[in-house]
Amino acid sequence: IMLNDVSAYYPNLMKSQNMNPGHMVDGFFTKYVTDNINDDKYWKSKIGVIEGAKAKRGGTKLKNNAGFGKYGDPYSPLYDFSITLETTVNGQMKLLKLIDMYFERTDAKVINANTDGVAILVSAKYNDTICDCNRDWEVMFNLELDEEYYTQWIQKSCNIYMAVQDNGKIKGINEFQTTYNLEKGMGI
């Protein structure tokens, strides 16, 4: 089982499509998004190297996600629902292209697809082909996929699941979450 999540998906989509709320000065928000993406990449690269890097990255991810959420909030000064729609619809179309590439080249079966990633069940003989699909997709859209591998996957719905890694470590999302911290919101 392979999970392919797009790294900082919505901020990177907004950057690549040069989105800016119509009521804001041109370029201001693009710089804000770019700075946040760069912060996220920096702290991601330092996890395991610098103490506290994982928490710092959690903060940048929270800032990116909260910022995106404000586009859909009519009480926010960032409110611009057209950006919310443009980002989410374009994001879903790009993920559908990735799924289509898997189907064209392998025997992959999608077991989970959400707003920023796809989990697939695929024969081991296609591992290299799946990685090639991922690299082709990354080049096509100038985005980056984070690949995670699991031996088991149990889900209630697309955002309520538990997955077991090769080393036995369990990743629980929302109702299956086993630990809670301030880096992620608690699912309800």
Side-chain angles (χ1 to χ4, degrees), residues 59-74:
T60 60
K61 287 177 74 172
L62 183 62
K63 187 169 48 171
N64 283 336
N65 292 336
F68 176 75
K70 293 298 179 187
Y71 289 128
D73 178 0

Side-chain angles (χ1 to χ4, degrees), residues 1-4 98-99 102-103 106 108-112 118-122 126 130 134 148 150 153:
I1 300 168
M2 182 182 203
L3 174 62
N4 299 295
L98 179 62
I99 292 169
Y102 294 156
F103 288 167
T106 73
K109 297 193 179 11
V110 174
I111 58 173
N112 184 300
V118 179
I120 57 172
L121 180 62
V122 64
Y126 289 116
I130 290 293
N134 290 351
E148 299 174 7
Y150 299 94
W153 189 280

Side-chain angles (χ1 to χ4, degrees), residues 20 27 33 36 49 74 83 88 91 107-108 112 115 119 124 127 130 135 150 177 187:
N20 198 57
V33 168
N36 285 341
V49 177
I83 286 183
T88 54
D107 66 351
N112 184 300
T115 58
N127 281 348
I130 290 293
R135 298 303 80 78
Y150 299 94
Q177 195 167 338

